[in-house]
């Protein structure tokens, strides 16, 4: 009888202290959830950083070129510096009688910049041949800046028996106007424009070849032309 009681007691104790497999699994799952969330957050952060700062879309050299143009927006490709000569006369009159005549010549340094509006270069202006790794780009017409006259460095030569202050100011103003007009005309000289276009082509070719080579296009060829120019054969 005593043995039966002891056996029963031992059995009861065993039943109370024995772990239940179902509860262990539930506890393990609950403890694993926070770690799973942390891992997911770390993975998402790493992916976002890689996408924003490291990732480069492969297979789209046109997109890479447009990105480079977007960063530069407007590119000054050539600056022409030269001197302009202007000459004007001024007559001081009293009614129908001319009292004095004066003349002034001026040599004025001028600068004109030539720019390419890269913001207007879209996919319709870029052709890509994947087989030969050749990119053809058609640029818009060069933009020519307004002449910048360096009045502080101009040389002035005045002739006249008597030149009033008002006459001197008129002569100077007339010479500046002439110099600006002559500088603007000189900027459209075919030889100067040819130099500016070639400088633009060289700049665009260099600015695109290097980043595209870094992107994996080692043997890329970039051909640049302007609107109205024939495609080079």
């Amino acid at each position: 009888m005593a043995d039966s009681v002891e056996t029963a007691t031992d059995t009861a104790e065993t039943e109370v202290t024995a772990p239940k497999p179902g509860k262990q699994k539930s506890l393990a799952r609950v403890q694993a959830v926070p770690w799973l969330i942390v891992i997911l957050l770390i993975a998402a952060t790493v992916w976002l950083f890689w996408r924003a700062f490291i990732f480069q879309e492969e297979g789209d050299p046109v997109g890479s070129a447009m990105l480079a143009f977007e960063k530069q927006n407007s590119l000054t490709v050539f600056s022409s510096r030269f001197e302009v000569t202007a000459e004007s006369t001024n007559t001081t009159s009293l009614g129908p009688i001319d009292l004095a005549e004066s003349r002034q010549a001026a040599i004025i340094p001028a600068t004109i910049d030539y720019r390419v509006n890269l913001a207007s270069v879209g996919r319709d202006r870029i052709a890509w041949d994947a087989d030969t790794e050749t990119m053809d780009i058609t640029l818009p017409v060069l933009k020519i800046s307004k002449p910048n006259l360096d009045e502080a460095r101009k040389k002035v030569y005045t002739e006249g028996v008597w030149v009033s202050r008002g006459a001197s100011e008129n002569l100077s103003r007339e010479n500046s106007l002439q110099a600006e007009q002559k500088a603007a005309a000189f900027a459209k000289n075919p030889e100067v424009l040819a130099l500016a276009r070639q400088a633009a082509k060289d700049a665009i070719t260099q600015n695109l070849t290097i980043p595209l080579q870094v992107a994996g296009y080692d043997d890329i060829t970039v051909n640049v032309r302007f609107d109205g120019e024939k495609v080079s054969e």
Side-chain angles (χ1 to χ4, degrees):
M1 183 67 177
D3 293 339
S4 301
V5 174
E6 290 178 1
T7 302
T9 304
D10 293 340
T11 302
E13 290 178 354
T14 301
E15 291 178 354
V16 172
T17 57
K20 295 183 178 181
K23 289 186 178 180
Q24 283 186 333
K25 290 182 180 180
S26 299
L27 181 60
R29 290 176 181 176
V30 172
Q31 291 177 343
V33 168
W35 288 106
L36 180 61
I37 294 175
V38 171
I39 293 172
L40 290 175
L41 288 176
I42 293 175
T45 303
V46 171
W47 184 86
L48 290 174
F49 178 83
W50 172 79
R51 182 73 182 184
F53 300 102
I54 301 176
F55 172 76
Q56 292 183 348
E57 186 175 357
E58 298 180 355
D60 188 16
V62 176
S64 300
M66 292 179 62
L67 180 61
F69 288 157
E70 182 181 345
K71 291 180 179 179
Q72 297 181 55
N73 193 17
S74 180
L75 180 64
T76 299
V77 295
F78 188 74
S79 292
S80 179
R81 296 177 177 85
F82 50 92
E83 291 183 338
V84 183
T85 301
E87 184 177 334
S88 58
T89 58
N90 183 82
T91 302
T92 301
S93 304
L94 180 61
I97 303 174
D98 294 336
L99 300 178
E101 184 179 85
S102 55
R103 185 178 62 155
Q104 185 183 92
I107 302 176
I108 308 175
T111 303
I112 291 182
D113 294 330
Y114 298 81
R115 298 186 179 91
V116 177
N117 182 18
L118 297 178
S120 63
V121 180
R123 287 184 176 270
D124 58 323
R125 289 182 172 271
I126 304 175
W128 170 249
D129 188 336
D131 295 333
T132 60
E133 290 193 358
T134 300
M135 179 175 290
D136 295 319
I137 301 174
T138 304
L139 298 177
V141 177
L142 281 173
K143 288 189 174 183
I144 304 175
S145 69
K146 182 179 179 180
N148 181 19
L149 302 179
D150 190 354
E151 299 280 359
R153 297 179 58 191
K154 70 179 178 180
K155 300 176 182 179
V156 179
Y157 306 90
T158 305
E159 292 181 359
V161 177
W162 177 72
V163 182
S164 66
R165 181 177 179 180
S168 179
E169 291 177 351
N170 290 336
L171 291 169
S172 180
R173 184 166 50 250
E174 179 64 24
N175 282 340
S176 294
L177 181 59
Q178 284 188 34
E180 184 174 340
Q181 293 173 346
K182 289 184 176 181
F186 178 81
K188 298 177 182 178
N189 183 291
E191 294 182 358
V192 179
L193 278 175
L195 291 174
R197 290 193 185 101
Q198 188 58 49
K201 293 175 182 179
D202 293 341
I204 297 300
T205 300
Q206 182 178 0
N207 289 351
L208 286 183
T209 300
I210 295 176
L212 287 174
Q213 286 178 344
V214 172
Y217 300 94
D218 298 328
D219 300 325
I220 190 170
T221 300
V222 179
N223 299 320
V224 184
R225 68 183 181 93
F226 283 89
D227 283 336
E229 290 184 342
K230 294 181 180 180
V231 179
S232 58
E233 298 180 356

